[in-house]
Amino acid sequence: MASDLTSQVLDLLSQNDGPFLSAHAFPSIPSATVKSALDRLGSREMVVYRTIDREEVILMPEAEGIAANGSHEAMVFEAVRKSVEGLKITELPKIVGKESAKVGQGKAFKAGWIKKDGDTLRTNTDSIIDTTRDQLQTIQETRSHPDPKIIIDLRKRKLVTMQKAISFEVDKGPKFAKEFVKEETDLTADMLASGAWKNARLKPYNFRSKGAVTPTGALHPLNKVRHEFRQIFFEMGFEEMPTNRYVETGFWNFDALFVPQQHPARDLQDTFYISDPPLADKPRADPKAYKHFPLGLKSKEQDGPERDYEEYWNDVKEVHENGKYGSIGYRYPWKEDESLRLVLRTHTTAISTYVLHKLAANPRPARYFSIDRVFRNETVDATHLAEFHQVEGVIADFGLSLGGLIGFMEVFFGKMGIHNLRFKPAYNPYTEPSLEIFSFHEGLDKWVEIGNSGMFRPEMLEPMGLPKDMRVYGWGLSLERPTMIKYGVKNIRELLGHKVDLNFIESNAAVRLEKD
């Protein structure tokens, strides 16, 4: 189509002394096709053209009918005029149609064209001027109207709409010719052998043209932000914990953290439980070939005594039922079956508990972190999903204090470029004291919660076998919230799940948490 059009463009220019408008010369041909032909000629300097953007007025289907047959009020007048004795009101819809009778009758009364005589309609004048039809016919011919107020009125009546139109003003170029000479793109062996290359016109190289986009893989924004968090943790001397267990027992996910079995977080409306198998085995030692925990922890654990998991199980039960290690406990009948129910882990703190229990085989200062997916039975909306990613860190050492936790949080978040922090006392079953972390968001002009932290309770740590004077900091935040802020995503479903736009994934920029 474009190749045929090039000949037509050259013919028009050869017949005219000046430029022509493509909208007049090729009214039925799409502007993209016209531009393709002009670009082909323009690359050879045979033509020059200027793009003209303008808005055109387009008739709606109802308006096209009015332009062809007359307005509703004119049709009503014509029907009444043809009835010498007048026209019964009930007969009008049968002649002009229900829509025309409904709309046109009122407008004809308002214009003074007809009058009502009982139940009969009669004309009030001998002739009329159908202004609406004339206006629409003008627009149909010119795609515009000299009076902007008329266009506004017709748009309100939903008779016309505005549409962007692209046209081109075309003129002869410095190398204009009446015929389009094909340029050769390759120098072939036949051309060399026959000598045809001597007279051939070779297409020049376009060194400014862009190359074809090469299909490549792309990192998800969550993976980019996750990488930044990992780098921060590694810079601060942390080891990464194993996070390959999405399914945990209630023991590791709740009971070992000193979360009572009546806690609301363990209800069906908050947690996903596994139906088959209904129960897991009691905690036991990992197989010797199991490699999914920090290398430093593995080597140290091998030097320590073998862990007694049955004793650990009984100590957790005792601290819940009757209290132990200076605690009065929750004082309720602790159920083994509830502890052995399988759940989709609700937090990565279950992993932290598992690793801290291993650390108790050879207690020493340690720093661990994890970043992975967790699951909660949430109502899905713009800011919540049933699955999300949790960033968690723990520090185990002797002589730790609440002031040290606050100071560390300021350093940790400072590496992300977040410096203005506030801390608010909070409650968690497994940390005491507990702190919610807030930062002032300049865009929202308010303080927003960015994380949760605290010091693990003795009821959680001492059953593991950790020394009484060892303290453990714990803190966590979601991976999605900083990612949404960095990439300007307002709906979490556009970041994770089946509604994610792959173009967004492929085109999103790299991120540095410490930079805006």
Side-chain angles (χ1 to χ4, degrees):
M1 182 67 180
S3 59
D4 295 338
L5 199 58
T6 54
S7 301
Q8 296 179 46
V9 170
L10 295 175
D11 289 342
L12 279 172
L13 287 173
S14 63
Q15 295 168 11
N16 298 292
D17 294 332
F20 70 86
L21 289 174
S22 63
H24 296 158
F26 313 111
S28 60
I29 298 177
S31 60
T33 305
V34 176
K35 187 176 187 306
S36 176
L38 295 178
D39 285 340
R40 192 176 182 192
L41 294 169
S43 65
R44 293 160 175 78
E45 299 184 16
M46 297 178 72
V47 303
V48 291
Y49 69 91
R50 179 173 64 90
T51 304
I52 302 172
D53 291 336
R54 67 189 184 95
E55 280 197 330
E56 292 184 344
V57 188
I58 305 298
L59 299 188
M60 301 296 281
E62 181 184 353
E64 290 177 352
I66 292 174
N69 306 314
S71 64
H72 299 300
E73 54 269 32
M75 292 172 66
V76 169
F77 174 81
E78 190 63 25
V80 175
R81 187 184 65 80
K82 290 180 179 180
S83 301
V84 180
E85 301 296 329
L87 182 64
K88 296 285 187 182
I89 295 175
T90 54
E91 295 296 319
L92 182 62
K94 299 177 183 178
I95 299 173
V96 300
K98 290 183 179 180
E99 184 65 23
S100 294
K102 180 181 177 182
V103 177
Q105 191 175 162
K107 289 184 176 294
F109 277 127
K110 188 175 180 180
W113 294 352
I114 60 173
K115 60 184 178 181
K116 188 176 179 182
D117 184 9
D119 61 348
T120 303
L121 298 175
R122 303 185 187 278
T123 57
N124 213 21
T125 182
D126 295 331
S127 62
I128 61 168
I129 298 175
D130 192 351
T131 307
T132 302
R133 182 182 188 180
D134 294 342
Q135 292 169 350
L136 292 175
Q137 285 179 340
T138 300
I139 291 172
Q140 194 174 41
E141 293 172 2
T142 63
R143 300 292 180 95
S144 184
H145 197 280
D147 190 347
K149 292 182 179 180
I150 290 175
I151 295 176
I152 293 172
D153 179 61
L154 292 173
R155 288 184 70 184
K156 287 180 180 179
R157 294 168 61 182
K158 297 182 179 180
L159 293 176
V160 299
T161 186
M162 305 303 294
Q163 180 176 293
K164 185 177 180 181
I166 300 174
S167 61
F168 308 95
E169 185 183 70
V170 188
D171 203 351
K172 296 176 181 178
K175 295 183 180 179
F176 174 77
K178 292 184 178 181
E179 292 185 2
F180 182 81
V181 180
K182 182 182 177 182
E183 293 179 329
E184 301 292 342
T185 57
D186 294 306
L187 191 61
T188 64
D190 291 340
M191 292 170 65
L192 292 172
S194 64
W197 64 273
K198 297 177 182 179
N199 300 318
R201 178 180 288 187
L202 298 175
K203 184 177 182 180
Y205 283 108
N206 183 1
F207 293 102
R208 295 183 179 181
S209 64
K210 294 181 179 180
V213 177
T214 304
T216 59
L219 287 175
H220 193 283
L222 285 172
N223 280 337
K224 293 183 179 181
V225 177
R226 179 179 181 272
H227 173 76
E228 285 295 300
F229 272 111
R230 292 182 81 239
Q231 293 305 113
I232 291 172
F233 278 117
F234 288 139
E235 286 174 11
M236 301 181 78
F238 283 75
E239 290 183 85
E240 192 164 13
M241 295 185 284
T243 56
N244 58 322
R245 298 197 312 220
Y246 285 174
V247 177
E248 288 283 4
T249 63
F251 178 83
W252 290 112
N253 200 78
F254 297 117
D255 293 290
L257 275 71
F258 198 53
V259 178
Q261 294 183 344
Q262 299 83 9
H263 195 278
R266 302 178 74 152
D267 292 342
L268 286 173
Q269 61 263 31
D270 291 311
T271 301
F272 292 109
Y273 284 92
I274 306 300
S275 59
D276 186 20
L279 299 176
D281 295 335
K282 286 184 178 181
R284 61 176 184 265
D286 292 317
K288 291 185 178 180
Y290 189 74
K291 301 177 181 179
H292 297 284
F293 48 84
L295 293 176
L297 183 64
K298 180 172 69 172
S299 61
K300 294 289 183 181
E301 189 193 39
Q302 289 171 348
D303 299 333
E306 187 176 341
R307 306 310 317 278
D308 188 341
Y309 283 85
E310 186 64 30
E311 180 183 357
Y312 181 39
W313 170 271
N314 292 330
D315 286 344
V316 170
K317 176 182 178 181
E318 183 68 18
V319 80
H320 276 258
E321 277 193 337
N322 304 310
K324 202 173 181 179
Y325 311 107
S327 170
I328 63 172
Y330 291 117
R331 291 172 291 179
Y332 70 92
W334 189 79
K335 297 178 181 178
E336 290 190 3
D337 285 355
E338 182 67 25
S339 187
L340 296 177
R341 293 179 70 185
L342 288 168
V343 302
L344 290 178
R345 67 179 179 213
T346 60
H347 48 192
T348 51
T349 316
I351 301 297
S352 303
T353 309
Y354 160 80
V355 171
L356 288 172
H357 178 255
K358 287 189 171 295
L359 179 68
N362 195 339
R364 71 195 187 284
R367 295 184 173 197
Y368 303 118
F369 80 93
S370 64
I371 306 173
D372 211 338
R373 192 169 298 192
V374 296
F375 308 87
R376 293 182 189 173
N377 196 357
E378 300 267 12
T379 300
V380 176
D381 57 26
T383 57
H384 296 85
L385 289 176
E387 54 181 309
F388 60 95
H389 295 79
Q390 183 173 334
V391 180
E392 179 160 333
V394 295
I395 297 177
D397 206 340
F398 300 94
L400 298 180
S401 65
L402 180 63
L405 173 62
I406 293 174
F408 183 84
M409 289 296 98
E410 290 174 342
V411 173
F412 177 76
F413 283 101
K415 287 183 175 290
M416 305 177 207
I418 302 173
H419 299 285
N420 196 3
L421 299 181
R422 281 183 180 177
F423 300 89
K424 175 184 173 184
Y427 167 76
N428 283 315
Y430 44 89
T431 57
E432 182 60 38
S434 305
L435 297 171
E436 291 176 347
I437 308 167
F438 291 82
S439 172
F440 187 78
H441 193 295
E442 294 183 357
L444 299 175
D445 195 28
K446 67 176 183 179
W447 292 88
V448 296
E449 184 181 352
I450 58 172
N452 214 316
S453 64
M455 300 180 68
F456 287 129
R457 297 176 64 118
E459 295 95 332
M460 172 184 166
L461 301 177
E462 292 190 35
M464 298 176 180
L466 291 169
K468 286 181 177 294
D469 56 345
M470 176 169 271
R471 303 287 181 266
V472 180
Y473 295 154
W475 72 95
L477 62 153
S478 77
L479 182 63
E480 280 74 8
R481 178 167 291 184
T483 306
M484 291 173 70
I485 292 172
K486 282 293 180 182
Y487 285 99
V489 178
K490 296 182 179 179
N491 191 325
I492 193 172
R493 289 168 288 194
E494 297 173 4
L495 184 68
L496 185 66
H498 66 284
K499 293 186 177 181
V500 174
D501 182 1
L502 292 181
N503 290 326
F504 165 68
I505 301 299
E506 292 171 357
S507 61
N508 65 71
V511 66
R512 293 293 180 267
L513 291 177
E514 77 280 4
K515 298 181 185 292
D516 293 331

